[in-house]
Amino acid sequence: MQRLYRLLKKDNVSTSPEDLICYGFDASRIQVMPMAVVWPEDTEDVVKVSEFAYENDIPLVPRGAGTSTTGGAVPCRGGIVISLERMDRILEVDTDNLTVLVEPGVINGSLQKELGTRGYFYPPDPASMNFCTIGGNVAENAGGPRAIKYGVTGDYVMALEAVLPDGRLIQTGVRTPKGVVGYDLKSLLVGSEGTLSIITGIRLKILPEPQSIITLLVSFDDLRASGDAVSGIISSKVIPRTLEFMDREAIQAAETYNPCGLKDAEALLIIELDGDLKT
Ligand SMILES: Cc1cc2nc3c(=O)[nH]c(=O)nc-3n(C[C@H](O)[C@H](O)[C@H](O)COP(=O)(O)OP(=O)(O)OC[C@H]3O[C@@H](n4cnc5c(N)ncnc54)[C@H](O)[C@@H]3O)c2cc1C
């Protein structure tokens, strides 16, 4: 452990019980105490920690914001948690080529906000977007309500920088819309839940923000009719930006938690449409 302390700045390594407890669980609520938590500030730090863990046969578990509900960020056999939260810079917004380059610890919602101020948007929007990280989104290939129209995280990943378990650094992917040559290692890393590498740099595709967004709340007295409405919307070639379904139980649960005047209905559809002003 002394060597680990020497590898990084003092404040970027902890073995204190408070930190070990806080970084020993995620939204799955599984809890396992790691032996240490580290917070790299850059790719070089990630390389150093990876080499150390590899040479000493210590499990190394990457962590974004710990919102995963599947236990991926929980240190299974003890080991070291490597939290990417301090690598949180938006490095480049390239509006000429509609891409952004970010570090893995950037919060999804912060990126959305930054792009919004410039008239652009990044579609993948996990419902945890105000606290989950882009690195975690890539590692989980996260979706979200807008997936119905815009797809999931993997559809927007153009290139990745990643550190392999033994500390080797790789670059994979392209920065152009067309990228068809060679093995598609980038797609292997997307959704790999931290098992293959630690992602340290991410180039994402972005889109111009739609000119107009309309939200509709439609209530149904009959559950089946709501399902038919969903099929009807899709088959009429209108792809909503989001299309969320709530049955009676979900409506009541939401009303109990936070009364907001939802109708007493068998089902609700929350529909969001976007496009330009003409459509
Ligand atoms: C209220 C709530 C709503 C949610 N809604 C959605 C939703 O709509 N859609 C959806 O898909 N998910 C959803 N999730 C699940 C979760 O938020 C997402 O999977 C999110 O992408 C996890 O990001 P994170 O930063 O919290 O990652 P973490 O939970 O910290 O980590 C997730 C996995 O990624 C790995 N990882 C993290 N960072 C890196 C990195 N830099 N390199 C390599 N591996 C890494 C970890 O080891 C772990 O296996 C929701 C969760 C909550 C709590």
Side-chain angles (χ1 to χ4, degrees):
M1 269 310 124
Q2 283 316 312
R3 208 186 127 206
L4 186 60
Y5 272 102
R6 283 198 299 273
L7 287 179
L8 304 180
K9 285 186 197 156
K10 188 169 155 282
D11 288 348
N12 293 346
V13 183
S14 176
T15 51
S16 77
E18 308 87 89
D19 286 327
L20 300 188
I21 289 169
C22 290
Y23 286 81
F25 69 97
D26 63 9
S28 69
R29 300 184 190 174
I30 301 165
Q31 172 98 47
V32 179
M33 289 279 269
M35 74 166 84
V37 184
V38 298
W39 294 269
E41 288 182 1
D42 53 28
T43 301
E44 205 182 315
D45 281 352
V46 177
V47 168
K48 283 191 242 171
V49 174
S50 299
E51 284 172 348
F52 170 81
Y54 187 76
E55 281 160 19
N56 293 284
D57 204 17
I58 300 170
L60 184 62
V61 178
R63 180 185 175 96
T67 67
S68 160
T69 52
T70 51
V74 176
C76 292
R77 288 189 288 129
I80 300 170
V81 172
I82 181 163
S83 168
L84 283 307
E85 69 198 298
R86 292 185 189 166
M87 290 177 65
D88 62 350
R89 288 173 304 161
I90 298 173
L91 299 171
E92 182 188 301
V93 179
D94 178 358
T95 53
D96 289 348
N97 292 295
L98 291 180
T99 73
V100 289
L101 180 64
V102 299
E103 290 185 325
V106 169
I107 302 294
N108 180 307
S110 309
L111 178 62
Q112 308 272 359
K113 220 175 272 171
E114 173 61 31
L115 291 174
T117 62
R118 301 168 188 235
Y120 295 89
F121 99 118
Y122 169 64
D125 62 336
S128 54
M129 64 186 263
N130 288 329
F131 28 90
C132 66
T133 65
I134 297 290
N137 295 167
V138 174
E140 293 276 349
N141 198 8
R146 294 200 286 246
I148 183 172
K149 179 166 183 178
Y150 290 105
V152 296
T153 302
D155 298 315
Y156 293 84
V157 176
M158 300 180 76
L160 294 174
E161 177 190 84
V163 178
L164 299 179
D166 61 1
R168 273 176 299 160
L169 185 65
I170 61 162
Q171 310 273 351
T172 172
V174 293
R175 50 185 305 172
T176 51
K178 186 180 175 193
V180 292
V181 177
Y183 296 112
D184 187 5
L185 287 182
K186 169 200 72 163
S187 295
L188 182 65
L189 299 186
V190 171
S192 62
E193 300 196 20
T195 56
L196 298 179
S197 69
I198 298 176
I199 296 159
T200 49
I202 304 155
R203 185 169 291 279
L204 296 167
K205 185 164 77 176
I206 57 171
L207 299 178
E209 201 163 43
Q211 288 174 346
S212 180
I213 301 168
I214 298 167
T215 306
L216 308 170
L217 186 65
V218 187
S219 64
F220 295 85
D221 293 332
D222 174 31
L223 199 61
R224 192 174 178 89
S226 65
D228 292 343
V230 170
S231 308
I233 292 167
I234 304 294
S235 64
S236 68
K237 299 181 186 157
V238 176
I239 308 295
R241 173 181 164 106
T242 69
L243 182 51
E244 295 272 299
F245 164 84
M246 291 171 83
D247 65 7
R248 176 175 281 283
E249 277 182 10
I251 298 166
Q252 281 171 354
E255 269 300 310
T256 307
Y257 179 71
N258 184 12
C260 52
L262 287 179
K263 279 205 164 188
D264 182 24
E266 278 307 311
L268 284 179
L269 291 182
I270 305 165
I271 307 167
E272 215 172 69
L273 298 159
D274 67 6
D276 62 33
L277 292 172
K278 279 182 243 137
T279 56

